[in-house]
Each structure stands twice: as structure tokens, then as C-alpha cells.
Amino acid sequence: MDISTPYNLTAYLIAMGASALCACALLFFSFRKEPAVRADQALSMSACVLLLGCLLGILGAKLFYFIFNLSYLLQQDAGAFWTSLRAEELSYYGGVAGVTLAAALTGKLFGLRPVRALNAFAPAGALMAAAARFAEYFLYPVGTGAYLDAALPFPLAVGVWYSEDYTEYVLAVFMFEGLVSLAAFALSLAHRGEPRRFLRTLFYLCMPQVLLESLRNDSISLLFIKLEQLTCFLFVEGVLVWYGWACRKKGFSAWIPAVAGLVVCGLTVLEEFMLDGKVRVGGTFVPEIITYSMMAAGLAVLAVMEHRGNRLLYLEKSALAK
């Protein structure tokens, strides 16, 4: 698939608006199935999340980006920054944080515990996250990765058409991000009734980003640190630490997921240095396919550890309930 108009903000905003309405409709049905929500409240709550989510999502995206680039932006025209909607001046996970806050506040306003509101919101939020990634198709070069020597078919890559004789192909990282977000959406739907539905959904939205942010050319960076990659890993590790704390009666075994997460963190840092060529094996640059395979294996370990931590907590809660 070729992109003839590389950057189309209008098309992006239309796609985001349509996806927000779809997510709002899904949220309406989720609230209808929530026992603590009256039937006549579901529509009002969904509309409230939609309006607050748009406002706080944009605000969160701008705020996180501002914090991540504080030293640079303080030297620029701050007024122009805050009034701009350019995607390259927004933090994706700042937007996620803003929309999450909107869902929690809506629950509070309507007398629903924020945790229950977030659990009902989880699949709609994951669907919206996937749509936001897919919509980056309209924002080239946002969401793309390495330039490719050979043409690859969509959705692996997108071709940027310049003339009849020249088309440039780049890795479509945004498509991979959208697909893993759809996987998180499917898991969220399957885990209806799960007391930690939102927490686990967000875990599986953030976890793949440890690898995928490394592939993006437009990652928000401070020196060699990719800040959204770091943010996602801190959340993932925070969940594993929380499992250890919540299951602390089981002793050291409860902390194995958190310890494994720290080991994966150390290996990921090493792998990033390998990608930069700062760490070599026998003086030889390690092929990227090997490094990224190692990184993916680390993510598989994190997924297994999350499942283990959740299982331990479930068993502990079940034992206490007897």
C-alpha cells in the first residue's frame, strides 16, 4: 500500500473521532452489563467518558510530552505548543493516562467505584488504543521504523510514493502496535468479570511497547533513553511488584515475578546497547534480528510472570474467602 499524501492531520482526526464513537458505543454496553449501574445511567456515563476522555486525553498527551521535553520546550514558544494538535507533539501514553483518568472520574461522579468503572472501560480503552495506532497511517513518518532495502507488503511496511520511478518503503511499526493492542482488546473481552481486568489489559498494552518503541524512529528520547519505552516498562514492573506485595504471605515465591522483571530490564538495557553497536560480541555487531528475538523472549517471560503473579493472588484470595 502506497501513501500518496504522507501527512494528513484531517484524516487522522476523523479516524480518531470515529474510533472514539465506536469505543463509546462499546462502553455503553459494558456499563449496561455492570450490576452497580442503573439502566438509565449507562448512556450518560458513556457520553461523559467520551467528552472528558477527549479533553483529558489531549491534555495528558500534551502534558507528558511537555515533561519529557521540558528543557527543549522551555526555550520555544510555549503558547504555540499548547494550542497545537500535531501528533509529533503528543505523548501516546500521556493520552492513555488522560482517558483512564476520565473513566475513573466518571465512575466517581455517578457513584460507581473507580476500579469497577475502569474494569468496564477496559475493552473500550484497548479498542481505542488500537484505533489510535492504526490511525497513524495518515501521519507519515509518525509510527514508522527503519527504511527497508527491499519492498515488503502492507501491513509489514508502507510505501511512500514520490514518483512513478521511486517509492520508498519503511517498516510499519504502527501496524504492529495496533495489532498487539487488538490482542489486548480480545483478552480484555475474554476476561469479563476478572477483578483486575483493567490492570491486566493495561499491562498487555504496555508490555509489547518495550520492544516496539525500540523499533520506532520517532520515539521520545532523552539522550539514549526512550522515555515512553521506559514508562511502559516501569508500569509493567510496577504490576509485578504489586503482585509480590499483595501475595506477600506466600514468601519469596510471590516476589519471583518482580525479580524476573528486573532481570529482563537489565537484559533489555544490554540489548539496546547492542542495537546501538556499543556492545559487541567478539568485536562483531550482533544482527538486529537476533537482538530483537532476545528482546521478544524477555517479553514472553514477563507475560508468564504476570500470569503467575495473578494466579498466586487468585489462589490467596480464594483461600481467604473459605
Side-chain angles (χ1 to χ4, degrees):
M1 182 177 293
D2 290 343
I3 299 177
S4 57
T5 53
Y7 191 98
N8 190 334
L9 183 59
T10 300
Y12 171 78
L13 293 176
I14 291 173
M16 288 299 298
S19 63
L21 291 174
C22 290
C24 182
L26 177 60
L27 182 57
F28 167 75
F29 290 110
S30 294
F31 279 142
R32 284 288 298 270
K33 295 176 182 178
E34 172 59 52
V37 175
R38 299 196 314 267
D40 61 327
Q41 288 183 317
L43 182 59
S44 299
M45 292 179 71
S46 303
C48 185
V49 172
L50 177 64
L51 295 175
L52 270 180
C54 289
L55 177 63
L56 295 181
I58 293 172
L59 180 60
K62 298 297 286 186
L63 181 60
F64 272 51
Y65 187 88
F66 184 80
I67 293 171
F68 288 157
N69 294 275
L70 185 61
S71 60
Y72 169 74
L73 289 172
L74 287 177
Q75 302 172 17
Q76 310 301 314
D77 185 352
F81 166 75
W82 288 105
T83 56
S84 167
L85 284 179
R86 292 184 63 82
E88 60 268 36
E89 294 181 347
L90 299 173
S91 164
Y92 178 83
Y93 281 95
V96 170
V99 175
T100 296
L101 178 60
L105 287 176
T106 297
K108 192 72 174 175
L109 288 172
F110 284 84
L112 181 66
R113 288 180 59 205
V115 170
R116 299 194 70 165
L118 288 174
N119 283 341
F121 168 73
L127 180 62
M128 186 70 180
R133 288 306 196 188
F134 289 136
E136 289 180 350
Y137 171 81
F138 298 108
L139 298 177
Y140 176 83
V142 173
T144 57
Y147 293 92
L148 304 174
D149 296 328
L152 287 178
F154 188 81
L156 298 177
V158 291
V160 184
W161 184 86
Y162 292 101
S163 70
E164 294 182 357
D165 302 321
Y166 183 64
T167 300
E168 193 171 49
Y169 289 89
V170 291
L171 194 65
V173 181
F174 65 89
M175 287 299 300
F176 305 148
E177 292 172 318
L179 290 172
V180 296
S181 297
L182 280 183
F185 166 67
L187 286 172
S188 190
L189 286 178
H191 290 157
R192 184 189 170 202
E194 163 79 53
R196 291 169 292 280
R197 186 190 201 186
F198 175 77
L199 183 72
R200 302 192 73 197
T201 299
L202 191 53
F203 181 95
Y204 286 105
L205 282 174
C206 290
M207 186 189 72
Q209 288 300 124
V210 175
L211 186 154
L212 294 172
E213 278 293 326
S214 181
L215 289 172
R216 289 175 68 106
N217 281 336
D218 61 329
S219 291
I220 303 173
S221 300
L222 178 64
L223 300 177
F224 61 89
I225 301 172
K226 297 180 178 179
L227 295 174
E228 289 197 306
Q229 180 189 42
L230 176 62
T231 300
C232 287
F233 192 90
L234 288 175
F235 175 80
V236 166
E237 179 63 17
V239 171
L240 298 180
V241 169
W242 180 79
Y243 278 138
W245 179 84
C247 302
R248 57 191 181 278
K249 291 183 180 179
K250 293 188 177 296
F252 177 75
S253 64
W255 292 97
I256 290 177
V259 172
L262 290 176
V263 173
V264 171
C265 177
L267 291 174
T268 301
V269 172
L270 176 64
E271 288 152 3
E272 286 291 344
F273 282 121
M274 290 166 65
L275 290 170
D276 288 340
K278 296 175 181 176
V279 173
R280 298 173 181 249
V281 177
T284 304
F285 179 80
V286 180
E288 289 187 354
I289 185 65
I290 294 178
T291 304
Y292 280 120
S293 296
M294 292 167 57
M295 199 177 291
L299 297 188
V301 170
L302 292 178
V304 171
M305 289 298 101
E306 190 281 332
H307 178 77
R308 185 181 190 279
N310 182 68
R311 181 66 179 167
L312 283 175
L313 184 56
Y314 174 79
L315 291 174
E316 183 166 299
K317 296 291 185 184
S318 298
L320 291 174
K322 291 180 181 180

